[in-house]
Structure formats: structure tokens, C-alpha cells
Amino acid sequence: MSTRQQALATAQVYLKRFYIKNEIRQTNPYLVLSTAFYLACKMEECPQHIRFVVNEARSFWPEFMSSDVSKLGECEFALISEMNSQLIIHHPYRTLTELQPELPLSSDEVALAWSIINDHYLTDLPLLYPPHVIAVMAIIIAVVFKPSQTSFHGPGPSSLAGAMREGGGMSILAALGDKNGAGAERIQRLIGWLAESEVDIRAVIECTQELVSLYEVWEQYSEKHCKELIGRMVKGKSLDK
């Protein structure tokens, strides 16, 4: 199933907001995930038919998803209620696009910053910081650590994740203060823009440190083990019925 990246991001935020108020142990997370996606597609103006969403979900998780589309409809009302009908989500992608010509950013840097923004939805950052702070963090990381040789999801620690882990937010400050380093002119231009923009640099550093923690956890993450645990939980409480 193909859909816009922004719809997927909105669905991830819906999930986080829903599980702030609800225990995952009392729900079928596969049904909630499918419902969040269905609702996000409607809100982001790329709607998918409810039956199509259910069929796609069943193709991935046949043991956990019912073919009864009314269950997804009921879950949709519960999701909307838990979020108090506040369904409009603002994302960092727009800020990134607007800042590209102003800074200016290369296509590789934009691609890396976009990837970092995608990754931040796996943390609590979307609930804690405004979108423009996330976008600025992604831009700084992309400019300071360079996009070449970067692949977050390849085997072993990536060059970017390793560099971030070595110094966390302080390594960014050191790079920004290095007037003789590689790409110094571009970094100095970025520093000048930051000074004029009055963006909260402390918040940017905190966001960076959270990403460092994400990548450290990612190296230990086992999707198979996680799915087994969730599967036993759902089956044990008969939440798949």
C-alpha cells in the first residue's frame, strides 16, 4: 500500500497520543495501528477505503485482525474520542522544505534531514517539542555530520549514529564552534542563521540526545522478539476477537 509520508507520520502521532491514556495491554495494538493509519489518511486528504485497509492489515497480521470492518469503525470513534477530536497534526517537513533555499541545503542534506525527521517519530519528541525545533535539529545534524556514507538501517552502527553517540549534543556544539573544520563556511552561515532566528538551541540539543538514545536502542532491537511478546499478550487476553 502506497501513501504519503505525512499520513504515516500523522498516524504515528495518533498512536502515541492514544497510548498516553490507554494501556497497550488492554488493547489490540494491530487494530489500533490500522485505525490510526485509516484516520490519518482521511485527515491528510489521501483517504483509503476502510475495507481496503482491513484487507491489507489482515495480509500482514491475519491472526490478529478480524475481517469485520465494523471493528475498525468502532476503534476509529474511540481513537477520535481519546484525542478529544483534535486531529490536525503539524509536522517538521514543511519547515525543512521552507528552509532549504534559505540556508541553502543540498539535496543530500535535505534527504538526510528528512530521514532524521522520519526517525524521530519513533521517540516521544513529537509530543514534547514543536515541529520547527525538530526540523532545525535535523538540518544541523545533516550539515554538521555530512550525508555521505550515512545509512541508519544498515547492519552495524552507522557513521552518523556513531558520530552522534560519541559526543551527543556537545559534539554538535563543538562542530558549530570549529571555524577551521570541513565545511566551515557553510557551518558559519548556519550559526548566523541560528543567532538571528532565536531558535531554542538547548531544545535542539535535547532532541539530538534523544536521537542518540534511539539509535543505541535500535542496535539491540529485535523485531521478531517484540512481535512474539505482543502476539502472546493479544492472544492471552483474547483481544483479537
Side-chain angles (χ1 to χ4, degrees):
M1 180 187 297
S2 61
T3 191
R4 294 169 53 196
Q5 177 63 43
Q6 187 157 315
L8 299 178
T10 296
Q12 288 176 286
V13 176
Y14 286 172
L15 277 175
K16 292 181 181 300
R17 290 176 59 189
F18 178 80
Y19 281 119
I20 283 177
K21 297 182 179 180
N22 298 272
E23 292 186 54
I24 191 171
R25 295 177 299 175
Q26 304 302 323
T27 67
N28 179 349
Y30 296 102
L31 175 60
V32 177
L33 185 154
S34 302
T35 304
F37 171 78
Y38 172 68
L39 181 58
C41 286
K42 289 202 289 187
M43 291 303 300
E44 297 296 342
E45 299 182 352
C46 52
Q48 303 283 353
H49 195 281
I50 187 171
R51 190 169 297 282
F52 181 60
V53 173
V54 169
N55 288 339
E56 284 293 306
R58 281 183 55 78
S59 70
F60 286 108
W61 314 297
E63 66 273 36
F64 302 119
M65 285 294 298
S66 169
S67 59
D68 185 358
V69 296
S70 66
K71 292 188 178 297
L72 192 146
E74 292 171 2
C75 188
E76 180 185 13
F77 283 110
L79 194 62
I80 293 172
S81 176
E82 290 292 349
M83 294 189 293
N84 298 318
S85 300
Q86 297 175 357
L87 305 179
I88 297 176
I89 305 296
H90 299 282
H91 296 286
Y93 302 113
R94 181 175 179 178
T95 302
L96 173 61
T97 302
E98 291 176 346
L99 291 178
Q100 179 182 5
E102 183 176 343
L103 287 176
L105 302 173
S106 68
S107 58
D108 284 340
E109 288 167 342
V110 170
L112 177 55
W114 191 284
S115 180
I116 292 168
I117 290 173
N118 290 346
D119 289 344
H120 102 283
Y121 286 105
L122 298 176
T123 72
D124 291 333
L125 293 178
L127 304 179
L128 300 174
Y129 296 94
H132 76 274
V133 169
I134 304 299
V136 170
M137 171 211 54
I139 290 170
I140 292 176
I141 292 174
V143 171
V144 169
F145 291 106
K146 309 301 178 188
S148 60
Q149 306 179 27
T150 300
S151 175
F152 289 157
H153 310 294
S158 70
S159 59
L160 176 59
M164 291 174 63
R165 188 166 52 247
E166 286 177 6
M170 294 310 296
S171 62
I172 286 185
L173 290 180
L176 289 175
D178 183 5
K179 297 182 179 181
N180 300 314
E185 181 179 347
R186 301 204 62 241
I187 292 177
Q188 289 303 311
R189 182 182 301 178
L190 179 57
I191 291 174
W193 180 87
L194 283 171
E196 294 178 0
S197 69
E198 298 183 355
V199 173
D200 186 351
I201 192 65
R202 184 179 296 275
V204 172
I205 292 173
E206 289 172 354
C207 291
T208 304
Q209 291 172 334
E210 185 68 19
L211 275 186
V212 172
S213 299
L214 168 66
Y215 295 136
E216 288 177 343
V217 171
W218 214 330
E219 293 175 6
Q220 310 297 326
Y221 172 69
S222 170
E223 182 175 356
K224 180 180 179 182
H225 181 62
C226 185
K227 289 178 68 175
E228 289 175 352
L229 292 176
I230 294 176
R232 289 202 296 268
M233 177 195 72
V234 173
K235 291 290 186 180
K237 293 180 175 290
S238 299
L239 297 171
D240 54 329
K241 305 301 184 182

